[in-house]
């Protein structure tokens, strides 16, 4: 899947949906790309807390080290067997809930790609299954798990976020590695549940979903 999602909701609305407490003065970032901060729900001592983390775990290759380059970012967890994730995916302490209202994919020919947005019809605030950790290189970060795309998303990408139903939030936060594997390899949300919004906005335009734009006046 692409590396773009949007959150067209206010902090109080997000916190209420996830039964979480804002940890400090927060504001939603609306558009999120790798390296940008986002509001993420973590659990601490039995309490869900809404915190600001940046999207993408650090990835520093041997070539980067030799060249003195800063670490890159990995924001998507597609292969649970990758050594990068082996200590994280098995430990519930590193689970989080990623709020989103839309995720976007590039659509069209190279050089003229536009933004196509996807949302869940019956979930104004959706939830992406995520992992988080405090890293020495980049501080607190998160990444989202992906799965095979449904028929609605497939024309633009063969992967999509692992989306959770509200009654699955606790299982994701506390489940075993077997539960994590089950979430990634189960069937995705049905295509009929997805709202698809094709736009003429260029991929790098920074423009938000037009159907959600009026909500900004209320935030």
């Amino acid at each position: 899947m692409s590396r773009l999602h949007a959150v067209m909701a206010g902090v109080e609305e997000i916190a209420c949906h996830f039964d979480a407490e804002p940890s400090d003065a927060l504001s939603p970032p609306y558009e999120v790309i790798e390296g940008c901060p986002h509001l993420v729900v973590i659990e601490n001592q039995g309490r869900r807390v809404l915190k600001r983390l940046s999207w993408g775990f650090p990835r520093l290759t041997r070539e980067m080290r030799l060249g003195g380059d800063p670490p890159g970012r990995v924001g998507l967890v597609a292969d649970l067997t990758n050594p990068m994730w082996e200590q994280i995916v098995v430990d519930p302490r590193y689970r989080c809930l990623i709020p989103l209202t839309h995720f976007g994919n590039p659509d069209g020919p190279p050089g003229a790609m536009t933004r196509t947005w996807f949302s869940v019809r019956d979930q104004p605030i959706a939830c992406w299954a995520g992992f988080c950790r405090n890293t020495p290189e980049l501080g607190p970060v998160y990444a989202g798990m992906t799965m095979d795309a449904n028929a609605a998303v497939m024309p633009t990408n063969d992967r999509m976020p692992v989306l959770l139903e509200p009654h699955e939030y606790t299982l994701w936060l506390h489940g075993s590695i077997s539960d994590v594997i089950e979430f990634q390899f189960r069937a995705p949300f049905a295509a009929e549940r997805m709202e698809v919004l094709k736009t003429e906005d260029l991929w790098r335009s920074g423009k938000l979903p037009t159907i959600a734009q009026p909500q900004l006046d209320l935030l």
Side-chain angles (χ1 to χ4, degrees):
M1 60 169 282
S2 75
R3 292 165 172 80
L4 171 67
H5 51 279
V7 188
M8 308 303 299
V11 172
E12 290 186 4
E13 187 180 1
I14 295 170
C16 180
H17 176 82
F18 290 97
D19 192 22
E21 305 171 15
S23 59
D24 46 37
L26 300 171
S27 59
Y30 306 127
E31 179 187 85
V32 187
I33 58 175
E34 277 187 343
C36 288
H38 182 36
L39 303 183
V40 174
V41 178
I42 66 170
E43 190 162 290
N44 182 22
Q45 298 181 345
R47 297 183 304 119
R48 291 183 187 174
V49 181
L50 191 62
K51 301 196 70 171
R52 185 183 296 274
L53 282 65
S54 63
W55 186 14
F57 277 62
R59 178 176 179 271
L60 191 61
T61 65
R62 181 174 179 273
E63 290 74 17
M64 290 175 176
R65 290 192 185 93
L66 292 176
D69 297 325
R73 294 270 187 170
V74 180
L76 306 176
V77 183
D79 180 6
L80 296 176
T81 66
N82 188 312
M84 179 176 182
W85 310 115
E86 61 184 6
Q87 294 182 341
I88 295 173
V89 299
V90 299
D91 193 333
R93 290 179 302 169
Y94 301 124
R95 312 268 173 79
C96 65
L97 306 173
I98 306 169
L100 55 80
T101 57
H102 303 75
F103 63 92
N105 283 332
D107 201 355
M113 288 186 172
T114 55
R115 294 184 163 196
T116 291
W117 294 98
F118 302 89
S119 58
V120 184
R121 295 180 187 275
D122 57 342
Q123 291 186 9
I125 297 177
C127 178
W128 185 8
F131 302 95
C132 60
R133 192 169 195 174
N134 196 3
T135 67
E137 302 95 337
L138 299 173
V141 297
Y142 75 95
M145 191 163 67
T146 66
M147 67 191 315
D148 290 340
N150 61 27
V153 177
M154 185 64 74
T156 59
N157 203 298
D158 61 2
R159 304 290 289 179
M160 66 178 284
V162 174
L163 300 173
L164 304 175
E165 305 283 6
H167 70 268
E168 295 173 329
Y169 296 171
T170 298
L171 178 60
W172 172 253
L173 291 173
H174 297 280
S176 66
I177 181 59
S178 296
D179 295 318
V180 171
I181 294 170
E182 173 66 23
F183 276 120
Q184 186 170 50
F185 291 99
R186 71 179 183 180
F189 276 22
E192 293 75 19
R193 293 181 66 182
M194 307 301 295
E195 186 79 35
V196 181
L197 175 63
K198 290 182 174 290
T199 77
E200 296 182 359
D201 301 328
L202 293 179
W203 177 243
R204 300 186 183 277
S205 66
K207 291 188 177 180
L208 298 169
T210 54
I211 55 172
Q213 197 77 38
Q215 296 181 33
L216 293 177
D217 297 334
L218 304 177
L219 301 179

